[in-house]
Structures are given as structure tokens and as C-alpha cells.
Amino acid sequence: MAVAHLLLQLSAAAGGNGGSRNSRMVIPAILLILLQLLLFTALSVDGAASFSFTNACQHPVWVGALHGASSPPLASSGFYLAPSATSRLDAPSSGAWSGTFWARTGCGVDSTTGRFSCATADCGTGDVACQGRGPAPPVSLVEVTLAAPSSGGPDFYDVSLVDGFNVPVRVAPSGGGGDCRPAACAGDVNAMCPADLRVVASSSSGGGGVVACKSACGAYGGARYCCTGQYGTPATCGPTNYSQVFKSVCPSAYSYAYDDASSTFTCSGASTYDVTFCPGS
């Protein structure tokens, strides 16, 4: 608004008869520069989005962030989030971006080696920052693809349990138009996890409780469970008894690779995507 007001003042000055020849030459140049600045600022604001993170769990989490192959990295690829704490990351000003977020649990630094590691969803860097590396399954993933504002297309987002489950999570857009519903896995899959898929913490890191639940693909491999080979299409790869356990607890999350119909969400022009870990706690 201040830039627009200044443009009006300069336009009036340029159109007056009292200015010198030099001022009449300089003012249009200033007008052009300010107009370009105003246009750039407007495009940056329209194209900018942000991600907010809230830890509603009763324990700390270490957030991981991974950008897609054709997207730039965000300002941080991993950070600590205490219970009830919030944090924020900005998306690139271009608006177009894709990537994933997740929570790591049971993390600490080895007193002998000095390496940082986590009981679940560790990214293997030996540090809090994931530095372009993804999580080790099982892991609950938030997946987001932001559309460039000029494309006219929607953003896509989901919660995926294709690689298993470790922490309940929800992603919800703020602002924007269209459907814009939250995507979530708010239930505790660990409490319902089949015995052969359970990941149990060591007594030193988690007291021996179930801290994650593997996918059948992660536990057994094979084309049927992993939707590969002859099962590599939506027509040939459907739900299994194992994936249906995940789906019963989290109906709106991906439970296997081609679980698109009930698990893909869209929103156009959202200003913020709010990621909440343990949203039901």
C-alpha cells in the first residue's frame, strides 16, 4: 500500500509543469523501478507458503524434512520440537515445492561415538539435520506438493503409512480454496499392530514398548505387498489383511501404494500447511 501511494505521488509530480527537465526524466525511471518492485513483491507473497509444526505428543520429537529431487531444500532439514512447542519453515518464494516431513522419536547422542540417532525414523546422518536423507522405516509421512501460483493447479498433500507407522500426524491447510480438508492418521496404529510387524524399543530407549509398526512390504518384501512386478498397477495391487489394519485405524491415510481414492487431498492457494504430531492426544 505504501509503494502504491508513492507511485501516485511520483506520477502527479511527473505530470506537473513545475519540474525541471532532469526531474521529468528521472521520475519515470523511478516509477519503472518501483513498479517492478511492487510486481515482484506481489508475486512473492502470492507464491509464498509456509509449514508450521506443532508437537502435541507427550514426548519430544525431532522433525525431519526432505525435499523432492527437483525442489530446493528448506532452511532446515531437521530440528528438535519439545512437547507443546511449535516451529515454522517457509517454502520457496516461487511457490512450487514438493517434499516430506516426519517425526523421529527416542533420539539421543551416543556418549562414546558422539553420533546422534533415533529409535524410529532415523535419517542416518549422525546429526539432528537430515541433510537430504530420508527416514528409515517404519515412519508416518506427511507428503506435500505445492503448485506454482502461475500454474492454476491445486496443491496435493497426504499422510502416508505405506512405509509403516511411528507417530500419529495430521496436515491441515489454512486459507486457500477448494476441498482443503485435513489429512490425518490420528489413531495409534502401534496399539493395533500385528505381532509380526511390531518394532519394540530396547529397554534403554523405550522401556520395551512398541514404538513403530512395519508395513508388510517392509517386513516381508515381495511383489504382492510392495505393489511391484506383476502387482505394479492400481488394477493388480489392492489392500491386504495387513494394510487393512492400518486403514481401520487411519481411514484417510495411505495404507498401501495405490490407496489413492480415499487418501489424496487437494487445496488451492493455501497460505500455511499445519503439521501436528499426535493430534488426538
Side-chain angles (χ1 to χ4, degrees), residues 84-98:
S84 302
T86 61
S87 189
R88 169 181 164 151
L89 288 174
D90 289 327
S93 59
S94 65
W97 187 83
S98 67

Side-chain angles (χ1 to χ4, degrees), residues 197-229:
L197 302 184
R198 295 174 187 168
V199 176
V200 179
S202 64
S203 57
S204 61
S205 61
V210 178
V211 294
C213 188
K214 297 178 183 179
S215 67
C217 176
Y220 297 112
R224 177 69 184 89
Y225 290 136
C226 298
C227 292
T228 57

Side-chain angles (χ1 to χ4, degrees), residues 99-100 138-145 155-167 169-171 181-187 189 213-217 225-227 233-234 237-240 242-266:
T100 58
V139 58
S140 313
L141 284 176
V142 170
E143 303 176 314
V144 180
T145 298
D155 301 337
F156 291 85
Y157 56 97
D158 64 75
V159 170
S160 175
L161 307 182
V162 173
D163 293 320
F165 170 94
N166 69 327
V167 172
V169 64
R170 178 183 67 220
V171 55
R181 291 177 297 147
C185 176
V189 175
C213 188
K214 297 178 183 179
S215 67
C217 176
Y225 290 136
C226 298
C227 292
T233 68
C237 192
T240 66
Y242 286 114
S243 71
Q244 287 173 340
V245 172
F246 289 79
K247 200 67 174 178
S248 67
V249 180
C250 296
S252 68
Y254 270 87
S255 59
Y256 67 99
Y258 293 113
D259 193 10
D260 301 279
S262 61
S263 307
T264 298
F265 296 80
T266 62

Side-chain angles (χ1 to χ4, degrees), residues 19-26:
S20 67
R21 180 175 182 275
N22 286 341
S23 66
R24 288 196 300 271
M25 293 175 64
V26 170

